[in-house]
């Protein structure tokens, strides 16, 4: 703590020193010191009077020369007038330069937390891995996944989770970049192409550009009739003036939509039929979110579960973490992952019956 205060004091002195030096130099010029320019112009007036008295200047020439010299003297006097104010300003700067560091230190003592140690990023990252994923913010999940890029750069599922987490954190461009990496690694997955298209739409403020359209068409090719992909394709067709084709796609996917999302799409169809145009951007965004159903939310949960699994690989002596992981895989229907996690946890905690009981309970599907 002493080191901090010494460093803070030195920095304050270094910052204030140029201000104080400049103000001190300026303060040496007092308000009573005469500007040498004024003396020069007074000498010129005296010389003109002397020449006129000796008959070396005519009366008219003397009057003109005296008027010009007088004008210059007045102009020089006006220019020298602010000297006193300039000195006051410099003195004020000197006072501010001295007071600012003192006020900053006093404010920090009362408002800041000088006794609280800094928490390096790696320590924060470790605490996030140890936390329940459901309690983390999107940017924290992004940071956790980013720390695993070197290890999992060839895993398309990792890039998918990173893309979805970035989208959740509001980084549309980063989401699109991650999802492009995912489709390069596994180009036969329709869900990756769909999510890439959605990220591109998000990046362009809900406009469906050519890259996004290509991604949606590829998703539809790999999984014909995919509702979310066909929704966006239909929307682009309507935007391009191909209203009949766009409405045909929407009507085709309507029976396969989640029941809660159908009214929104039906309303959009009715609006386009009546006006020939798409609804407003706000209504469209809401309909798109409904059309996607719970897909994004499920993907975010999956990303958090994978983060928990990665943490347990690094710090496996966490029985509560293993119970949460087994329960999460059970709820998600990931039977193979559940069984693998359950087997590993049972082997690790074979001498702790209370943990084994929790694991067995977590592996049981919820009773309906």
């Amino acid at each position: 703590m002493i080191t901090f205060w010494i460093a803070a004091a030195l920095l304050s002195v270094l910052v204030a020193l140029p201000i104080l030096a400049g103000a001190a130099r300026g303060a040496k010029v007092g308000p009573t010191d005469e500007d040498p320019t004024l003396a020069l112009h007074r000498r010129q007036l005296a010389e003109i009077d002397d020449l006129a008295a000796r008959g070396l200047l005519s009366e008219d020439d003397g009057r003109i020369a005296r008027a010009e010299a007088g004008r210059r003297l007045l102009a020089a006097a006006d220019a020298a007038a602010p000297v006193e104010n300039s000195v006051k300003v410099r003195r004020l700067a000197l006072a501010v330069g001295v007071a600012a560091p003192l006020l900053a230190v006093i404010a920090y003592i009362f408002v800041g937390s000088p006794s609280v140690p800094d928490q390096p990023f790696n320590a924060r990252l470790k605490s996030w891995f140890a936390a329940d994923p459901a309690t983390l913010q999107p940017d924290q999940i992004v940071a956790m996944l980013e720390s695993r890029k070197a290890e999992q750069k060839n895993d398309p599922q990792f890039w998918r989770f990173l893309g979805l987490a970035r989208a959740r954190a509001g980084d549309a461009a980063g989401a699109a970049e991650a999802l492009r990496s995912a489709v390069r690694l596994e180009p036969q997955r329709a869900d990756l192409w769909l999510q890439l298209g959605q990220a591109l739409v998000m990046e362009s403020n809900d406009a469906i550009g050519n890259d996004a359209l290509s991604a949606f068409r590829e998703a539809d090719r790999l999984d014909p009739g995919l509702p979310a992909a066909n929704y966006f394709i239909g929307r682009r067709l309507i935007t391009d003036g191909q209203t009949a084709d766009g409405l045909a796609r929407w009507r085709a996917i309507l029976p396969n939509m989640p029941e809660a999302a159908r009214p929104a799409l039906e309303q959009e169809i009715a609006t386009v039929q009546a006006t020939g145009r798409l609804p407003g951007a706000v209504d469209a965004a809401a309909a798109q979110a409904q059309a996607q159903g719970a897909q994004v939310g499920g993907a975010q949960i999956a990303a958090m579960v994978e983060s928990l699994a990665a943490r347990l690989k690094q710090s496996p002596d966490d029985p509560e973490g293993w119970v949460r992981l087994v329960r999460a895989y059970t709820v998600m229907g990931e039977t193979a992952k559940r069984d693998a996690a359950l087997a590993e946890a049972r082997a690790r905690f074979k001498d702790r019956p209370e943990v084994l009981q929790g694991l067995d309970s977590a592996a049981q599907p919820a009773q309906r």
Side-chain angles (χ1 to χ4, degrees):
M1 188 52 61
I2 296 298
T3 303
F4 167 79
W5 288 112
I6 293 173
L10 289 175
L11 287 174
S12 299
V13 170
L14 289 175
V15 171
L17 193 58
I19 300 173
L20 300 178
R25 283 196 302 271
K28 292 178 182 178
V29 180
T32 59
D33 295 338
E34 184 176 62
D35 190 330
T37 307
L38 298 178
L40 174 64
H41 289 299
R42 287 196 181 96
R43 283 198 303 272
Q44 287 178 346
L45 273 173
E47 289 172 0
I48 291 170
D49 291 338
D50 181 59
L51 290 172
R54 290 159 55 189
L56 298 177
L57 280 177
S58 66
E59 184 178 348
D60 290 340
D61 289 341
R63 185 170 59 252
I64 294 172
R66 192 178 290 106
E68 178 61 22
R71 184 189 64 79
R72 292 178 180 174
L73 176 61
L74 291 175
D78 289 340
V83 170
E84 183 175 354
N85 290 336
S86 177
V87 172
K88 291 179 179 179
V89 170
R90 290 190 177 102
R91 288 173 178 168
L92 177 61
L94 185 66
V96 170
V98 172
L102 295 176
L103 291 174
V105 170
I106 293 170
Y108 182 72
I109 290 172
F110 286 100
V111 179
S113 301
S115 61
V116 176
D118 181 34
Q119 187 178 20
F121 177 74
N122 287 337
R124 282 179 281 159
L125 193 63
K126 186 176 180 180
S127 70
W128 296 338
F129 273 112
D132 186 343
T135 65
L136 297 176
Q137 296 298 316
D139 57 340
Q140 294 171 334
I141 295 176
V142 170
M144 291 165 59
L145 292 171
E146 294 277 6
S147 70
R148 296 285 184 260
K149 274 202 301 190
E151 304 167 15
Q152 302 187 42
K153 62 182 180 180
N154 296 320
D155 182 0
Q157 193 71 351
F158 165 79
W159 289 108
R160 172 176 173 265
F161 289 146
L162 179 58
L164 295 173
R166 285 176 173 175
R168 184 71 173 171
D171 180 11
E177 178 188 8
L179 288 162
R180 282 193 180 98
S181 297
V183 297
R184 278 196 297 269
L185 291 169
E186 198 164 354
Q188 300 305 313
R189 284 182 55 177
D191 62 322
L192 297 181
W193 286 103
L194 171 64
Q195 287 155 6
L196 172 59
Q198 290 170 337
L200 292 169
V201 170
M202 179 182 173
E203 184 180 10
S204 60
N205 296 320
D206 292 333
I208 304 172
N210 291 334
D211 288 345
L213 180 62
S214 297
F216 292 132
R217 289 194 181 280
E218 183 64 14
D220 183 51
R221 185 187 70 81
L222 294 169
D223 187 358
L226 186 64
N230 278 277
Y231 171 84
F232 286 104
I233 295 171
R235 189 172 178 80
R236 171 62 186 266
L237 290 172
I238 295 169
T239 301
D240 291 344
Q242 302 176 50
T243 306
D245 292 340
L247 289 175
R249 281 192 179 261
W250 282 3
R251 292 191 185 99
I253 64 173
L254 194 57
N256 299 323
M257 296 284 289
E259 187 174 350
R262 288 177 196 169
L265 184 56
E266 288 170 347
Q267 181 61 46
E268 279 203 87
I269 292 172
T271 300
V272 173
Q273 285 178 325
T275 65
R277 296 195 303 261
L278 290 167
V282 175
D283 293 338
Q288 290 168 12
Q290 287 181 312
Q292 294 163 23
Q295 181 180 15
V296 173
Q300 290 301 316
I301 294 172
M304 291 188 291
V305 172
E306 291 303 314
S307 296
L308 174 60
R311 176 174 68 81
L312 290 173
K313 287 183 179 179
Q314 298 294 321
S315 305
D317 294 326
D318 179 4
E320 292 183 2
W322 284 104
V323 171
R324 288 203 306 272
L325 182 63
V326 171
R327 183 181 297 112
Y329 283 146
T330 302
V331 172
M332 294 167 61
E334 297 277 3
T335 307
K337 292 183 178 180
R338 178 203 64 190
D339 292 345
L342 181 61
E344 184 174 352
R346 288 183 65 85
R348 180 170 295 277
F349 302 108
K350 60 184 178 180
D351 297 327
R352 298 180 61 178
E354 73 283 2
V355 177
L356 297 177
Q357 183 178 358
L359 290 168
D360 291 338
S361 177
Q364 297 302 316
Q367 298 297 319
R368 295 180 181 272

